[in-house]
Amino acid sequence: MSTEAAPLAVARSPVAPAAEGTPPTVPRRRRWAWLFLLGWLAQVAVRLWLASGQTMPVATPDEAGYLFAARVLTGGPDADLSWGTVYRGGYPLLLTPAFWLGDDPVTVYRGALVINAMISAAMLPLAYLLLRGLRVRRRWSYLFAHVTALLPGVLFYSEFVLTDAVLPVVLLGWLLLIHAWLAAPNPSGPSRRRVALHGVGASLLIAFAYTSHTRGAVFLVVHAGLLVVAVACRWRSWRGAAVSAFAFAAATGAGMLLNRSLLPHLYPDGDNDLSGNLVRRLTTQDGMGWMLSLGTGQIWYQSVATGGLAAVGLVTVAFAAARRGTPARPRVLALALLAIVAGIAFATSGALPVEYRVGNYVYGRYLACVTPILFAVGVAVLLRATRRTLLVAVAAAVALTLLTACVVQWYAGDRLSRYTYTRYDFPETSFLTWDWTSFHLWRATWAGLALLGLAVLASLLRRLGPLLLSGLLAAVALAMVVTATDNIARPLVRESTAHTDLRGRADLEGTRSVALDWNVPWTIRLSQFYWAWWSEGSVFNARDVRPPQNVDMVILAWPKKVPAAATWPGGAPAGWRIADSRRTAEGDWVAWTR
């Protein structure tokens, strides 16, 4: 982003001095190139180290949905996910190399995590470019780019086969490209081609995001709006905008065709109609209350999870959008970013079904793709703003955090303690409250604001301030991710493996088809589809129909006080035997093979 776009008031140290505006020499460029290469490798290594204990999908059903979509794209068997959330094909396309190189489910899964790590680590150079655009010095931009790449919303989710591993990189890449496209003067010759490439690149990234996740629909609308505004304000010519618009339309259309092609392979009986939920919420008073309150909870979470810095970034962007003196192009970008935050927070809340879990009311994953951008803006404020501006921005961030916490408390009330606590939903707040079994709204709020206070104190020190600030933020971010890995990710893998792993009990590689009883809990069903990697998967309801016999394996629900041998209605046909049976905390089941 250009100097003009930095939404900050009068700068103080450490501002990029005039000497830093001169082109670097060749040896200096080489040193920086090595710094970024080694930094990227270090970020990849951190991700692979943290993900070393992951051997199966545990963020169900999301991980399983993306894995099965990638399996279909590489010519593998179907898996019946009917009446579940639709998982799109953009992100699974990135996972296809793991399927070409792996020959068993664990190897494929680990290969997907390597791909995640390589893409997620690209946050380092992108965050550096963002911070440089906000006029932070080179050395501090590099240092805080590492901190940004270590945020739990970036790092923790790279341990799982989720779009959240790549969407932060995609969105930040789009922001940098669309800014370069909008801010460039009217080009001619080679510069015209460069500007056109910026526009095409931004369009392709947005189309990929849309093809990967429903959140991408928000990006799609915002990007289309920016294309229209650029032409209407004569910042770009009709011809220049048409190139970007064509790439945008073509890539989006291809993505829609790809997603449509997956539906019969993964959702033969239909999906859970999240768009219907959104329409109902938008057209009823109770639905609007639900949507606005839950969306507010997502904004609260991003503030607290980043020690208040995302809130500082958010109020700064809002100030840039509202301030009379902000130039038109930065103002439009600020408004676009605010639209993305609001669109994601409230649209995802509107689409959510009532699941009777705490994560319905406070949740961090959906906005995690925007968090690094807001965090970097918050860092720039701490490093560059005058003391008066800094205090105003921090006071506004504190007010925003407290206000959103009050909204959550008012709307959710005792449901925050009565409803199901899913530990996977709270990697950051669990660390802040040092409790991985229950949610504490106000303890997390005060802890997040205390971190913000420490960050402000560190930033006020002249020479050591940036170093202390980066050390504090990096230490907290890494502590959050390491404790989340130890207390959430790895226990989930151990438990899920113990509950579902049939290796050694059945010839899974020779099992070409498996049918699962709908009455088996869905977490068990999806895990069995995963272990039976070479098998065509289908679902039936044993309460209404007899188990199919034209398959190699049938997995049935196991009622209490019923012998395992009596789970086959009317008795098992000749040739069928029990391969395994388990009673687990997730659900009880019996596997039959022939």
Side-chain angles (χ1 to χ4, degrees):
M1 300 176 76
S2 66
T3 300
E4 179 189 49
L8 305 173
V10 179
R12 62 178 174 84
S13 180
V15 183
E20 288 204 358
T22 59
T25 61
V26 172
R28 191 177 182 184
R29 286 176 179 171
R30 288 176 180 170
R31 286 197 298 271
W32 278 101
W34 276 107
L35 271 176
F36 279 107
L37 176 60
L38 294 174
W40 177 79
L41 290 173
Q43 290 284 347
V44 171
V46 168
R47 284 155 171 75
L48 295 180
W49 167 62
L50 288 167
S52 60
Q54 304 303 109
T55 57
M56 69 170 295
V58 292
T60 49
D62 297 12
E63 281 192 283
Y66 292 120
L67 283 168
F68 299 153
R71 186 172 72 181
V72 169
L73 291 175
T74 53
D78 298 351
D80 192 340
L81 307 180
S82 296
W83 311 118
T85 300
V86 172
Y87 297 99
R88 302 185 171 199
Y91 173 61
L93 276 178
L94 300 178
L95 307 181
T96 51
F99 287 79
W100 297 332
L101 298 174
D103 57 1
D104 67 273
V106 175
T107 304
V108 169
Y109 186 81
R110 289 185 179 276
L113 296 183
V114 172
I115 294 170
N116 274 358
M118 296 173 67
I119 297 173
S120 176
M123 179 58 69
L124 170 65
L126 295 179
Y128 171 84
L129 292 174
L130 176 60
L131 288 162
R132 287 294 294 146
L134 294 167
R135 298 187 63 206
V136 177
R137 298 181 71 166
R138 281 194 179 93
R139 68 181 70 175
W140 302 130
S141 291
Y142 181 78
L143 192 60
F144 283 97
H146 272 288
V147 177
T148 306
L150 295 176
L151 288 175
V154 178
L155 180 55
F156 180 64
Y157 296 127
S158 70
E159 300 178 39
F160 308 91
V161 181
L162 297 169
T163 54
D164 306 85
V166 300
L167 279 183
V169 171
V170 171
L171 186 60
L172 179 50
W174 167 80
L175 179 66
L176 295 171
L177 286 171
I178 198 67
H179 172 266
W181 185 73
L182 282 175
N186 291 325
S188 61
S191 62
R192 178 181 297 173
R193 290 191 291 271
R194 184 170 61 252
V195 172
L197 286 175
H198 290 153
V200 170
S203 294
L204 293 179
L205 284 177
I206 284 298
F208 171 79
Y210 174 74
T211 309
S212 298
H213 198 278
T214 50
R215 275 172 284 177
V218 176
F219 308 157
L220 206 70
V221 172
V222 170
H223 184 74
L226 288 176
L227 294 181
V228 172
V229 169
V231 173
C233 295
R234 297 184 179 179
W235 300 335
R236 293 275 74 87
S237 67
W238 279 99
R239 181 178 298 177
V243 174
S244 299
F246 176 78
F248 178 53
T252 302
M256 294 173 69
L257 290 175
L258 172 66
N259 290 331
R260 191 174 300 168
S261 71
L262 289 171
L263 295 178
H265 297 281
L266 299 175
Y267 309 93
D269 297 320
D271 58 69
N272 60 1
D273 191 24
L274 292 181
S275 59
N277 289 343
L278 180 58
V279 170
R280 284 190 293 274
R281 297 265 167 66
L282 286 170
T283 53
T284 63
Q285 185 175 351
D286 289 345
M288 287 293 292
W290 164 281
M291 188 171 67
L292 295 175
S293 301
L294 271 62
T296 302
Q298 292 189 44
I299 294 171
W300 171 87
Y301 195 99
Q302 295 310 310
S303 172
V304 170
T306 57
L309 284 184
V312 173
L314 184 59
V315 298
T316 302
V317 172
F319 173 74
R323 188 165 64 101
R324 181 174 298 177
T326 303
R329 300 185 201 197
R331 184 195 302 276
V332 167
L333 274 180
L335 288 171
L337 193 56
L338 292 175
I340 288 174
V341 172
I344 292 175
F346 299 119
T348 55
S349 297
L352 275 176
V354 180
E355 298 170 313
Y356 303 100
R357 63 186 179 94
V358 179
N360 267 155
Y361 302 94
V362 278
Y363 196 53
R365 264 181 63 194
Y366 294 141
L367 279 176
C369 58
V370 195
T371 304
I373 298 171
L374 299 177
F375 176 84
V377 174
V379 166
V381 171
L382 263 61
L383 294 178
R384 291 199 52 240
T386 62
R387 290 197 176 187
R388 180 178 179 280
T389 301
L390 174 61
L391 292 177
V392 170
V394 169
V398 170
L400 175 65
T401 305
L402 292 175
L403 177 62
T404 52
C406 288
V407 171
V408 171
Q409 181 67 66
W410 165 74
Y411 188 80
D414 64 350
R415 285 173 285 195
L416 297 175
S417 56
R418 288 192 297 109
Y419 280 7
T420 300
Y421 177 84
T422 306
R423 52 188 163 172
Y424 185 82
D425 293 346
F426 305 101
E428 298 98 339
T429 56
S430 293
F431 171 81
L432 291 174
T433 61
W434 208 252
D435 188 345
W436 284 266
T437 60
S438 57
F439 177 75
H440 307 280
L441 176 68
W442 290 105
R443 276 170 55 184
T445 301
W446 301 128
L449 294 179
L451 280 175
L452 177 59
L454 291 175
V456 171
L457 290 176
S459 71
L460 292 175
L461 300 176
R462 290 188 176 180
R463 293 186 177 180
L464 295 178
L467 195 61
L468 289 174
L469 178 61
S470 62
L472 169 68
L473 297 177
V476 171
L478 273 174
M480 285 178 172
V481 178
V482 170
T483 54
T485 301
D486 289 342
N487 292 279
I488 300 172
R490 291 183 179 172
L492 284 173
V493 171
R494 289 193 297 268
E495 294 164 9
S496 297
T497 302
H499 295 163
T500 64
D501 189 359
L502 273 170
R503 291 176 299 175
R505 301 297 185 94
D507 179 18
L508 294 179
E509 190 169 351
T511 300
R512 296 303 171 184
S513 54
V514 56
L516 283 100
D517 183 359
W518 178 263
N519 301 291
V520 174
W522 57 270
T523 52
I524 302 288
R525 293 202 311 269
L526 294 177
S527 296
Q528 297 296 0
F529 282 148
Y530 169 75
W531 292 119
W533 194 250
W534 304 266
S535 307
E536 189 90 12
S538 61
V539 176
F540 69 99
N541 191 339
R543 294 177 181 174
D544 300 326
V545 299
R546 293 182 61 83
Q549 298 182 40
N550 59 343
V551 295
D552 298 321
M553 179 184 292
V554 173
I555 297 179
L556 296 166
W558 187 6
K560 301 294 185 185
K561 300 180 180 180
V562 172
T567 54
W568 193 296
W576 286 85
R577 64 177 184 84
I578 294 176
D580 199 1
S581 59
R582 296 186 198 178
R583 295 199 182 276
T584 73
E586 288 293 322
D588 307 327
W589 53 272
V590 178
W592 293 81
T593 58
R594 61 173 180 172

